[in-house]
């Protein structure tokens, strides 16, 4: 299997609930290498740009309001088969449907406020990482 990169975001509910350490620990214990990590506050514009693919969907406005409601923590991750393995680790979008032991099942309140983001393909992983990190911020010196 190929080494891939994927983008995680610890969403504003994760930060508000003081779960940055706990959720990051799940990610690291699952074997992901952290290449870059920062705390930022998205605006409606930057959140809207990130989720442009969902523009026009009924949940879009609420999603943008939520994502810009507080600090969040984008994390660039690397691992063999990273995209699919990370999606498995976080579980289904709606925590009600997520498998036991997944991050969303453990910590999320509802489908909107669901603790974490994860890229859905290798190509989107690259695009999404570049939305938050420049190449020199991806310091792969922790192997
Ligand atoms: O995050 P994921 O890839 O699992 O789901 P998505 O379908 O790409 O949707 C992006 C985000 O929009 C979700 O993580 C939810 O925060 C939100 N969403 C929502 O509030 N209601 C929906 N019906 C679908 C998504
Ligand atoms: Mg998605």
């Amino acid at each position: 299997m190929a080494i891939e990169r994927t983008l995680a975001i610890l969403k504003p509910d994760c930060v508000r609930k003081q779960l940055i350490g706990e959720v990051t620990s799940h990610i690291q214990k699952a074997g992901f290498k952290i290449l870059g990590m920062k705390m930022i506050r998205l605006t409606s514009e930057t959140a809207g740009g990130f989720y442009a693919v969902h523009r026009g969907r009924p949940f879009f406005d609420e999603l943008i309001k939520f994502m810009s409601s507080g600090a969040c923590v984008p994390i660039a991750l690397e691992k063999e088969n990273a995209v699919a393995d990370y999606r498995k680790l976080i579980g289904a979008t709606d925590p009600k449907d997520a498998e036991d032991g997944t991050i969303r099942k453990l910590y999320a309140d509802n489908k909107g406020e669901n603790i974490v983001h994860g890229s859905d393909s290798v190509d989107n992983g690259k695009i999404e990482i570049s939305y938050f990190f420049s190449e020199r911020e991806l310091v792969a010196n922790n192997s």
Side-chain angles (χ1 to χ4, degrees), residues 11 51 54 59 63 87 93 104 111-114 116-118:
K11 294 183 176 184
Y51 279 117
H54 293 308
F59 59 86
L63 174 62
R87 296 289 309 196
T93 307
R104 283 167 166 169
K111 195 172 190 175
E113 308 212 350
N114 59 1
V116 279
H117 167 80

Side-chain angles (χ1 to χ4, degrees), residues 23-122:
V23 172
T24 305
S25 175
H26 274 276
I27 293 169
Q28 291 189 299
K29 281 179 183 151
F32 292 85
K33 189 199 285 186
I34 294 176
L35 300 181
M37 183 167 184
K38 61 175 70 166
M39 182 179 272
I40 57 159
R41 174 87 183 249
L42 294 173
T43 63
S44 321
E45 289 70 32
T46 50
F50 182 76
Y51 279 117
V53 64
H54 293 308
R55 200 176 291 277
R57 301 261 175 91
F59 59 86
F60 182 77
D61 288 353
E62 206 179 333
L63 174 62
I64 295 323
K65 201 169 147 198
F66 166 56
M67 289 302 292
S68 57
S69 69
C72 64
V73 179
I75 309 175
L77 297 172
E78 188 173 82
K79 184 185 164 310
E80 227 177 49
N81 202 40
V83 172
D85 284 1
Y86 178 76
R87 296 289 309 196
K88 199 167 164 48
L89 180 70
I90 65 176
T93 307
D94 189 335
K96 288 204 295 285
D97 304 327
E99 279 182 41
D100 283 349
T102 60
I103 289 172
R104 283 167 166 169
K105 181 71 163 201
L106 285 167
Y107 303 114
D109 289 336
N110 56 62
K111 195 172 190 175
E113 308 212 350
N114 59 1
I115 299 284
V116 279
H117 167 80
S119 307
D120 63 6
S121 69
V122 171

